[in-house]
Amino acid sequence: MTRRDSAVTVALLYPELLGTYGDGGNATVLARRLRWRDIPADVVEVPSGTPPPRQADIYLLGGGEDGPMALAVGELAASGTLGGAIADGAVVLAVCAGFQLMGEEFAAADGSAQAGLGLAPWRSARGHGRRHVGEVVVEPDPALGLPLLTGYENHQGVTVLGPGGRPLGRVVVGLGNHDDADPVDGAIHGRVLGTYLHGPVLARNPALADRLLSWVVGPLGPLPPLDDRDVEALRSARLAEARRAGRAARVMRRLARC
Amino acid sequence: MAATAGNLAALCSRALRAGEGSVIGGRVLLAIDPHALSRLGAGRDIAVVSGTNGKTTTTRLLATAAAAGGRQILTNSTGANLASGLAATLSGDPRSAEAVLEVDEGLVPAAVEALRPRLAVLLNLSRDQLDRAGEVRMHAARWRSALGRSPATEVVANVDDPLVSWAAEGAGNTVTWVGTGQRWRLDATTCPSCSGRIEWRRALEAPSTDLARHDGDVWACQGCGRKRPVPGWVLLDGALRGPDAAVLPLDLRLPGWANRANAAMAVAAASRLGVAPRAALAAIASVADVAGRYAEVPVNGAVARLLLAKNPAGWAEVLDVIGPPPRPVVIGINARIADGRDPSWLWDVPFERLAGRDVTATGERVLDLAVRLRYAGVDHTVVPGARGAIARAAGMARTAQGTEGEFDVAANYTAFCDLRKALR
């Protein structure tokens, strides 16, 4: 594996607006996994009121409440840098509110449709069913070559993908993008990856973290493995718990139909 | 009759060791008489205390201050802060005309409606148990409208929390503002009124006409111009300045900035209840532990100090209180319903500050904690069970400091209860 001249730059966008569920953890995970492999990494926290940097390798957008989300969209739209960076091949991980605001539209605080950044082909709205809260297991798109994704969701919004956006994966446990007979979660559009697995999704899914990193440092060759035994133990526990919860939820739904 | 049935149920619960007794008694009472709270509150002078962090401690401090003059005060000292706990507390002694009640953030509207309190003490609002509590600013909005419907309720509010300040200033209620110097600001980065960006700056750089005195940082909304009201009480550099310009040093037995802030709120509230600030502070300063929090417990030839933190704002303060090396520390994390089922918030806690300490990780979600600690660069030993974790840390404390060596045990709510039991 050859060395990269410059550090990989991870831009954490507006953490005080889009950081409700420990979303900053994703920046920590990406930077540590690079440094543990002797690849230099910089995390740039971009506070609200500051335009995002144009040259970052990975942009992170997290979850936020309605008011802060609206402010974030306004600032990102005004700066325009994110669209240019994506055109140049930057990677974007957009979680929860961040996932919604990358798309064409989403629900404002009063429920009305508000324009998103329009950088990805999906639309979000406020769901009319129950709030999506609980453990989630997603079987990722086979093209990603990843093991099961484990996470937690907590959102009222629902998202429908348009042409050019394919789901991140099929929901095995939980609700994902919307309450559906055949539910899916998240979306992939080029190097923009969106998901409702909220907060520090990369902490529980190191293979997903490494997939994003490989999009950036790919020319250096495959990333050497890390000692992830503690994460593997956590993953086993969460996947087992989610399957139990999933079975219970299916029984409850069946009983409700009786 | 309802009160008697409730007391009987509480007695059974205590006899069966099923719990502290007060909650089940209150449940029975409310089941028999759904209007029990208004009935029990009628004719009483009640102060309610609410907020994300510091409720139990501030309630204890205010009740202690109010009782210092020999007054009989009813109070829910064990943190039973839902309707059942309030009903049980108020049915305690019919002769007590005054009560200081800790109230859950979500119950504030119902409690204000039913009890028509004389005083509402509003501490802070930050992210906590978002899986069941919903968005933080929803609480602020519900507090604001509830206070508007109870105009005779006086408010004592933390002016350095923009969400609390907005909730308190909505109606015509009389407000006593307290500048606590709150450090957690991440949940109030946008204005609850207009969604504009809230900016902070040093008071000394602000136009001097804004402030009566030097009093820490000020905030202002860049959208609608709402700004921090001028406080009557200010906590700064470990001392409390009151409206009469007197400077009261806060020399408390309870540790840390968060408890000085709780004490500042309690002294300001006590003064609204007619207790002189110096007398209130003298009573408050002697409180050494609150429902097990901050208690120092001998164990295996060492001494454990118990610390409770339930959310990122609370943990940021507790990490400040935890002693430096070679003092070992136990961190305990559960994710039961009372804790919130989703421990994503662990990534909002600056555990990096524990680097260099001897850390024992424990609790039902020790695997989540262990991953967080590895990414924080904190070496740690995983011991899932509470007893084992305490035994390990006590051993390390004795090795490092000899007998009577001290260590800290910091945990979130149900993990704290498990660790406290393991220390008995």
Side-chain angles (χ1 to χ4, degrees):
Chain A
M1 186 166 141
T2 54
R3 291 201 162 270
R4 222 179 110 100
D5 293 338
S6 58
V8 174
T9 304
V10 178
L12 181 59
L13 299 183
Y14 308 151
E16 76 277 42
L17 301 178
L18 301 172
T20 301
Y21 292 101
D23 299 84
N26 291 324
T28 307
V29 168
L30 291 169
R32 283 277 181 184
R33 294 186 77 78
L34 287 166
R35 291 178 194 141
W36 283 333
R37 291 159 165 140
D38 294 325
I39 302 170
D42 285 334
V43 174
V44 181
E45 289 198 14
V46 184
S48 165
T50 314
R54 180 67 170 71
Q55 303 297 338
D57 297 291
I58 303 180
Y59 293 85
L60 300 177
L61 295 142
E65 298 188 355
D66 293 341
M69 181 183 178
L71 185 61
V73 170
E75 291 194 21
L76 286 169
S79 90
T81 49
L82 200 51
I86 291 169
D88 291 350
V91 173
V92 177
L93 174 65
V95 171
C96 214
F99 171 35
Q100 294 179 3
L101 67 79
M102 287 297 292
E104 309 287 345
E105 65 178 35
F106 64 93
D110 62 4
S112 65
Q114 182 176 345
L117 295 177
L119 296 174
W122 49 77
R123 288 170 182 275
S124 304
R126 183 166 296 169
H128 297 295
R130 64 199 162 104
R131 194 173 172 86
H132 299 200
V133 184
E135 293 279 343
V136 195
V137 178
V138 173
E139 190 180 276
D141 185 321
L144 289 167
L146 296 173
L148 289 176
L149 302 175
T150 155
Y152 200 94
E153 63 181 336
N154 186 350
H155 56 105
Q156 187 68 48
V158 296
T159 299
V160 177
L161 306 187
R166 64 181 209 273
L168 172 60
R170 194 178 65 82
V171 171
V172 183
V173 175
L175 290 167
N177 290 357
H178 52 93
D179 207 348
D180 198 329
D182 192 15
V184 296
D185 178 75
I188 310 168
H189 173 65
R191 288 182 163 188
V192 176
L193 196 149
T195 181
Y196 275 114
L197 271 57
H198 77 196
V201 55
L202 299 182
R204 281 202 208 175
N205 300 286
L208 178 59
D210 287 351
R211 174 63 65 244
L212 299 182
L213 292 175
S214 74
W215 289 348
V216 176
V217 300
L220 302 181
L223 292 165
L226 296 171
D227 180 356
D228 281 324
R229 280 174 294 180
D230 57 356
V231 190
E232 288 309 322
L234 171 62
R235 285 175 55 81
S236 303
R238 296 331 302 158
L239 287 168
E241 174 64 29
R243 286 199 188 94
R244 272 196 294 276
R247 274 198 298 273
R250 277 193 295 277
V251 169
M252 291 304 284
R253 273 201 293 275
R254 222 170 289 144
L255 286 175
R257 277 199 294 270
C258 291
Chain B
M1 171 61 204
T4 314
N7 286 338
L8 197 65
L11 203 66
C12 295
S13 164
R14 279 193 294 268
L16 295 167
R17 298 184 185 279
E20 302 244 50
S22 58
V23 173
I24 179 127
R27 275 196 204 133
V28 170
L29 210 147
L30 286 169
I32 297 170
D33 175 7
H35 300 291
L37 268 189
S38 339
R39 188 175 49 73
L40 291 164
R44 279 187 163 132
D45 259 358
I46 295 175
V48 296
V49 178
S50 195
T52 305
N53 288 318
K55 293 186 283 290
T56 307
T57 300
T58 306
T59 299
R60 170 72 183 282
L61 298 181
L62 179 54
T64 304
R71 289 144 68 174
Q72 286 278 326
I73 309 289
L74 290 172
T75 186
N76 48 345
S77 57
T78 59
N81 62 15
L82 298 174
S84 49
L86 304 188
T89 303
L90 291 172
S91 59
D93 183 345
R95 287 163 305 178
S96 290
E98 292 177 90
V100 176
L101 300 174
E102 171 187 342
V103 177
D104 178 82
E105 303 91 283
L107 189 73
V108 166
V112 167
E113 168 83 30
L115 299 172
R116 297 281 149 187
R118 171 175 168 187
L119 200 61
V121 184
L122 307 180
L123 304 173
N124 51 67
L125 282 169
S126 71
R127 58 191 67 181
D128 187 25
Q129 298 184 32
L130 296 171
D131 60 314
R132 70 186 182 119
E135 299 190 348
V136 175
R137 50 198 64 215
M138 184 192 73
H139 286 306
R142 294 179 60 220
W143 286 10
R144 185 177 159 101
S145 63
L147 290 169
R149 291 190 302 270
S150 184
T153 299
E154 275 192 49
V155 182
V156 175
N158 174 8
V159 79
D160 289 325
D161 187 318
L163 295 182
V164 165
S165 131
W166 178 72
E169 76 187 1
N173 308 56
T174 305
V175 183
T176 299
W177 298 109
V178 184
T180 61
Q182 177 170 312
R183 299 190 282 192
W184 181 266
R185 294 172 179 175
L186 274 181
D187 292 300
T189 52
T190 63
C191 177
S193 178
C194 78
S195 288
R197 186 150 42 86
I198 290 178
E199 283 196 353
W200 296 76
R201 58 182 165 172
R202 296 297 304 176
L204 290 176
E205 294 161 13
S208 60
T209 48
D210 274 5
L211 291 161
R213 61 176 78 81
H214 170 60
D215 80 349
D217 293 2
V218 295
W219 54 262
C221 171
Q222 305 304 296
C224 64
R226 260 186 80 243
K227 62 180 182 184
R228 178 182 186 262
V230 176
W233 296 81
V234 175
L235 171 63
L236 194 73
D237 303 328
L240 181 62
R241 292 147 207 255
D244 60 355
V247 178
L248 307 168
L250 289 187
D251 193 11
L252 308 177
R253 290 190 66 185
L254 299 179
W257 167 84
N259 284 315
R260 289 194 291 279
N262 293 334
M265 294 293 294
V267 170
S271 105
R272 299 308 305 166
L273 297 177
V275 183
R278 281 180 197 284
L281 191 54
I284 283 169
S286 68
V287 173
D289 66 272
V290 178
R293 302 154 168 88
Y294 316 108
E296 295 186 346
V297 185
V299 57
N300 297 0
V303 178
R305 180 174 58 162
L306 283 162
L307 302 166
L308 173 71
K310 296 182 278 196
N311 47 52
W315 275 100
E317 299 306 332
V318 156
L319 289 174
D320 249 18
V321 169
I322 287 173
R327 193 179 169 107
V329 57
V330 176
I331 305 288
I333 301 295
N334 284 358
R336 294 186 209 164
I337 287 171
D339 305 304
R341 306 288 298 187
D342 171 23
S344 293
W345 56 268
L346 288 173
W347 293 83
D348 281 330
V349 177
F351 283 116
E352 286 79 2
R353 278 151 63 180
L354 291 176
R357 286 182 174 79
D358 180 84
V359 177
T360 308
T362 189
E364 292 164 358
R365 296 303 287 268
V366 69
L367 297 175
D368 300 74
L369 176 61
V371 170
R372 173 69 189 100
L373 291 174
R374 173 165 67 113
Y375 278 105
V378 176
D379 291 336
H380 56 277
T381 303
V382 170
V383 184
R387 276 176 203 287
I390 296 277
R392 181 186 178 276
M396 296 306 293
R398 282 197 315 273
T399 306
Q401 308 159 53
T403 49
E404 304 293 291
E406 296 177 345
F407 64 104
D408 285 311
V409 178
N412 70 340
Y413 188 65
T414 69
F416 178 89
C417 296
D418 292 347
L419 286 157
R420 201 178 159 201
K421 259 181 233 152
L423 281 165
R424 281 187 187 146

